[in-house]
Amino acid sequence: MAGEHHDDLVMQSLLLDEIGQSVIGLDDAWQITYWNRASERLYGFSSTEVLGLKITELGIIDSHDGPGQGATGQEIVDRLARGRDWAGEYWVRHRTGREFPVHATLSRIRGRHTVPVAVVAISKDITDRKHSEAILRRLSAMVESSGDAIIGADLTGTITSWNAGAERMFGWSAREAVGRNYSLLTTREDANLGDMVASRMESGTFVRGLETRWRAKDGTYLDVDLTVSPVYGQDGSQIGASAIARDITEIQRLKAAATAERERLLAAQEMAHVGSVEYDVSTGERWHSEEFARIFGLGPDERTSRQSILELTHPEDRDHVRQEWKNLDDGHGFADFEYRIIRADGRHRWLHSRIRTMNGADGKPLRFLDTVLDITERKKAEKVLEWQARHDALTRLPNRYMLTEVLQGLLDQSARPVVMFVDVDRFKLVNDGIGHEAGDTILVLLAERLRNAVRLGDMVGRFGGDEFVVVGENLTMRGAKAIAGRIKAATRNPFEVDGRQIYLNVSVGIAVAGPDDTAESMLRGADAAMYRAKSAGGDSSAVYEVQMTGQAAGRLDLESDLRLALQRRELLLEYQPIVDLRSEVTVGFEALLRWHHPEHGPIMPDVFIPIAEETGLILPIGTWVLQEALGQVEQWRRHLPEAANVYAAVNISGRQFVARDFPDVVDAAVRSAGIDPAAVNLEITETVLMDQPGLPKETLQRLIQLGVGLSIDDFGTGYSSLSYLKWLSARTLKIDRTFVEELGRGPHGASIIELVLGMADNLSLNVVAEGVETLDQVNELRRLGVRSAQGYFWSKSMPSDRVPDWLDTLPPGSRRRLA
């Protein structure tokens, strides 16, 4: 124990005072007997203020029976009472009320000292340390909670730290990983990773963005992004490194998928002739695809700019392109437009550009993405389709649509247009006689003649079928009639087709524009006038007058009305007798279809029958004709003695004959009428048969099985062969009226009829002569050996209610001519 001037407590106090540690001496009653300068600074009380006071009276600790706080204070007292020291941390209070933590040591003092002391309390303010510890704890928590792996290693590569993120990412626990070399994670590709990192860290900087592949505990591989930083010791030397590893496996997968998708997109663009170009406004960087370069004819390394694109743009489209770009620069966000370019090689291309922008917060564009589609072929196709939509494919003349458009334009301009409707007389007969292909050739030749017959500025178009339309302007009625005359004259010269000369006549209808006319009304008027000319015998022209509306209908109106004719009971049948030339006994009746229009009166068959065939209405109409004719003839056979053995002759169109269900239609009509099938003759023209080389055998076989007969009408015009007639199993040949008309005028008609009779004898066919009008023709037919005939010499066709009277007033042997 030291002397009075060298008391240990005082000496220690002085030493501790120098390092800022509070020394407080307490006697057995806990009164303060010593208070050094550090205590004054720590608690704010001077020694003169506190000496002799109990420690609890200062308020620097809670007012318990000991110097501690709560249970801790009692624990300290108990521990000191047992002669043991206490050391620890607790919170104290400055005289200003500020609380702060201290680290204190309380010890019992034994022996005698200059100052009476039983307990010495030594304490130090640890606020800064606690703050640092809190920071460290937060940092440690952040490290542990990080999704990234944070790994420390010394200079030998031995792992020294391993956070929870590393455990989750790689599968090893900290216990398993710490102490092992970091090669635990690396692959063969990372053999030089340590050397590379070390060399890059020699400058003392971080290593960022280092991508590599590390192995997990389960053997799988992860793509990681490394950030490596040096770790230094207290002396400033590097003692190791800390690495932050971020799992970028999914990012790499997505990048690979994006790269593959981009390659597929570029391939698709190449296949679809779609190019793309991207432009970054901030960096000025531009990128374009290979297909974009091919579309514009650019070289492999040739760069693009707006100016270079504009220089390639067609001069007529440059202002349009500039305006679209300006709209984008102004923040419109989207552009969709078409323009033309002229490439360096001189080729013209049509392009379709779709541009989108990515705008910043200020609404100004940051990035442009432009997709460019080469639409040159589409434009060509559109041009062809546009031409086809306005022109007739066969004659290449303007079609109905274009004619109507041009005519309406002339009317809108008050140009006084004139319309002429031109129709070929009996063209169906010509078409059936020479075939549709040759008929098309005639239409093409006719179109050329019409163009040559009209004025230079007039438009010639094909309205449909064998109908043509001429549209002219500023024509007087006299001038229109003169052009109509030239048109008729131009068609009178024969048409050379397949070595044959074909003669045509045309009917022309003329309509002059009125104050309230439209294109449709003028076309209807010209159509009506044309039918007036046709009804007058053809090979003529007529001018449309308002009263014609009540006398003749145009084709457009007829087609609409014909669809309702059956329903309205406007169709009816008339019957022309077929007589035996020797006895003049009636042996049959040919049923002839008639149409009595409620407004326009009788409509001629050669007007409405072609319409019915073109529209398909001939099928329901033909079924009705069969049912009506067979039913009527069977009624006469049952109730009129003079008609007991007559047969019914019913005309059949080619469209009916090739219909799959035609035998069923005939069978149903025969059964419904109750007529003997042998009393039924189905008449079809020879030219129609010749135009149907692929007649269904099943149809012929079914008709033969039904027992009905087949008559070849207009025989001698279609050049059918004996073998063909035999194959058809025909029952009757009907000699065409053109050969009957020749009888008595020269040897030609008689020669043809003799040939037909010889053919008929060889095939055991009946022969009927048509169109007999004179007694000379009757006598000549008898001389030649023709058995049956029909014509005006005996009677025109008559309504069914007149047949009984006609039979009753014409007894056998009578040779009176009844018109």
Side-chain angles (χ1 to χ4, degrees), residues 486-511:
R486 292 205 300 270
I487 289 173
K488 289 187 291 180
T491 61
R492 289 197 178 101
N493 293 327
F495 292 83
E496 297 285 343
V497 181
D498 295 335
R500 302 172 63 178
Q501 290 188 337
I502 306 298
Y503 291 85
L504 298 181
N505 293 323
V506 296
S507 297
V508 182
I510 304 171

Side-chain angles (χ1 to χ4, degrees), residues 503-525:
Y503 291 85
L504 298 181
N505 293 323
V506 296
S507 297
V508 182
I510 304 171
V512 179
D516 300 321
D517 264 325
T518 64
E520 290 295 337
S521 66
M522 287 195 70
L523 288 169
R524 282 197 300 268

Side-chain angles (χ1 to χ4, degrees), residues 310-569:
L310 204 60
E311 290 174 358
L312 293 173
T313 302
H314 194 287
E316 295 178 4
D317 295 339
R318 286 176 185 171
D319 288 343
H320 177 51
V321 172
R322 286 193 189 98
Q323 185 59 49
E324 294 290 349
W325 286 347
K326 183 180 183 303
N327 293 340
L328 290 168
D329 292 339
D330 292 342
H332 284 205
F334 180 76
D336 190 324
F337 58 99
E338 296 177 357
Y339 63 103
R340 293 164 291 175
I341 62 170
I342 305 175
R343 301 188 346 168
D345 58 9
R347 297 175 62 186
H348 288 61
R349 310 300 294 175
W350 268 100
L351 306 183
H352 181 187
S353 180
R354 295 172 63 91
I355 307 177
R356 292 186 180 275
T357 63
M358 295 177 61
N359 295 336
D362 57 358
K364 295 182 179 180
L366 299 176
R367 192 174 186 85
F368 294 98
L369 173 61
D370 184 4
T371 57
V372 178
L373 172 64
D374 187 336
I375 58 171
T376 306
E377 298 307 317
R378 192 193 80 189
K379 282 291 186 180
K380 290 180 181 178
E382 286 177 356
K383 190 173 182 179
V384 171
L385 289 174
E386 182 181 358
W387 188 93
Q388 291 176 344
R390 298 163 61 87
H391 291 80
D392 173 56
L394 177 65
T395 62
R396 305 183 71 80
L397 294 176
N399 61 10
R400 178 184 302 198
Y401 171 79
M402 187 172 179
L403 287 165
T404 304
E405 184 181 70
V406 170
L407 179 55
Q408 189 60 53
L410 293 174
L411 287 169
D412 294 341
Q413 299 168 15
S414 301
R416 291 181 50 81
V418 172
V419 174
M420 283 173 269
F421 225 104
V422 182
D423 184 88
V424 180
D425 297 331
R426 296 172 61 85
F427 186 72
K428 184 180 183 302
L429 182 63
V430 174
N431 213 18
D432 291 343
I434 64 175
H436 290 292
E437 186 174 348
D440 287 346
T441 301
I442 288 181
L443 292 176
V444 173
L445 296 173
L446 176 59
E448 184 62 29
R449 292 193 187 184
L450 292 177
R451 278 197 295 262
N452 294 330
V454 301
R455 299 177 305 171
L456 185 62
D458 296 337
M459 174 179 284
V460 179
R462 185 185 179 198
F463 209 64
D466 59 333
E467 296 175 330
F468 294 83
V469 170
V470 177
V471 176
E473 60 177 311
N474 297 324
L475 260 177
T476 63
M477 182 60 69
R478 182 177 179 180
K481 289 182 178 179
I483 291 177
R486 292 205 300 270
I487 289 173
K488 289 187 291 180
T491 61
R492 289 197 178 101
N493 293 327
F495 292 83
E496 297 285 343
V497 181
D498 295 335
R500 302 172 63 178
Q501 290 188 337
I502 306 298
Y503 291 85
L504 298 181
N505 293 323
V506 296
S507 297
V508 182
I510 304 171
V512 179
D516 300 321
D517 264 325
T518 64
E520 290 295 337
S521 66
M522 287 195 70
L523 288 169
R524 282 197 300 268
D527 192 26
M530 181 271 292
Y531 274 106
R532 165 61 68 88
K534 189 178 287 291
S535 299
D539 193 23
S540 63
S541 62
V543 178
Y544 173 72
E545 299 174 359
V546 176
Q547 59 266 29
M548 282 187 184
T549 304
Q551 298 173 355
R555 179 186 176 90
L556 299 178
D557 295 331
L558 286 179
E559 183 175 321
S560 299
D561 292 345
L562 186 56
R563 295 181 182 278
L564 301 173
L566 265 180
Q567 177 183 335
R568 294 174 177 173
R569 299 177 180 271

Side-chain angles (χ1 to χ4, degrees), residues 559-573 593-596 598 608 612 616-628:
E559 183 175 321
S560 299
D561 292 345
L562 186 56
R563 295 181 182 278
L564 301 173
L566 265 180
Q567 177 183 335
R568 294 174 177 173
R569 299 177 180 271
E570 297 169 9
L571 298 180
L572 54 89
L573 294 181
L593 182 62
R594 299 290 184 258
W595 182 13
H596 280 273
F608 73 85
L617 292 172
I618 195 66
L619 296 177
I621 291 174
T623 299
W624 175 82
V625 169
L626 264 174
Q627 295 172 344
E628 184 74 11

Side-chain angles (χ1 to χ4, degrees), residues 16 89 93 99 126 164 167 182 195 203 240 282 291 297 326 360 409 433 441 517 555 574-575 577 610 657 780 788:
L16 293 173
E89 298 175 359
R93 187 179 298 111
E99 294 183 343
I126 59 172
E167 182 173 342
Y182 79 92
D195 295 339
S203 62
S282 60
E291 186 59 24
K326 183 180 183 303
T441 301
D517 264 325
R555 179 186 176 90
E574 292 185 351
Y575 298 87
F657 200 67
E780 188 65 12
S788 302

